[in-house]
Amino acid sequence: MDLKKIEKLVEIVEKSSMLEFSIQEGDLKIRMSRRGSADTPGEPVMTVRTETPAEETVEENYIISPIVGTFYSAPSPDAKPFVKVGDVVKAGQTVCILEAMKLMNEIESDYDCEIEAVLVSNEQKVEYGQPLFKVKKLSD
């Protein structure tokens, strides 16, 4: 899915009263949701998750950035970070926020793991595919 399609989806969700929207195209899954209610929608939040083939063992040891954006370790400046070194994370748990195009994108872990290292600092600009966390995948 190219950037133009994603931007168009964001525009549609911003102008609608939808609270949640998700779409999957190939190995890319996008989920957008608004905080608030149908009467008073809040800021849109978008989660982008890519499915990694099992044979790519390098990506199994990292949580990588699915988009270009600004990394935030916590939901607000005065809040505790989502995760820190040594934390055990469950699949689907938010590990950070990436801000892109004025949207706060919650990044979730795709599997149960332990955080071994945080590889970026708060408010750092990150690139697509850049490792954000080194993790130790927990056995099923």
Side-chain angles (χ1 to χ4, degrees), residues 52-132:
T52 305
E55 59 269 12
E56 293 184 35
T57 57
V58 173
E59 289 186 2
E60 288 183 358
N61 296 321
Y62 295 93
I63 296 174
I64 61 169
S65 175
I67 57 174
V68 174
T70 303
F71 174 89
Y72 293 104
S73 61
S76 66
D78 56 341
K80 291 182 181 179
F82 288 107
V83 295
K84 61 185 182 311
V85 173
D87 284 355
V88 174
V89 175
K90 297 288 182 190
Q93 181 178 337
T94 300
V95 293
C96 67
I97 292 175
L98 293 179
E99 179 183 7
M101 299 185 316
K102 298 186 182 183
L103 288 176
M104 298 301 187
N105 305 288
E106 293 182 355
I107 306 304
E108 301 173 347
S109 176
D110 288 335
Y111 42 78
D112 295 349
C113 59
E114 179 181 342
I115 304 295
E116 292 186 325
V118 179
L119 304 174
V120 293
S121 58
N122 198 43
E123 299 184 15
Q124 178 179 333
K125 305 288 186 222
V126 296
E127 297 294 324
Y128 170 80
Q130 179 177 343
L132 303 174

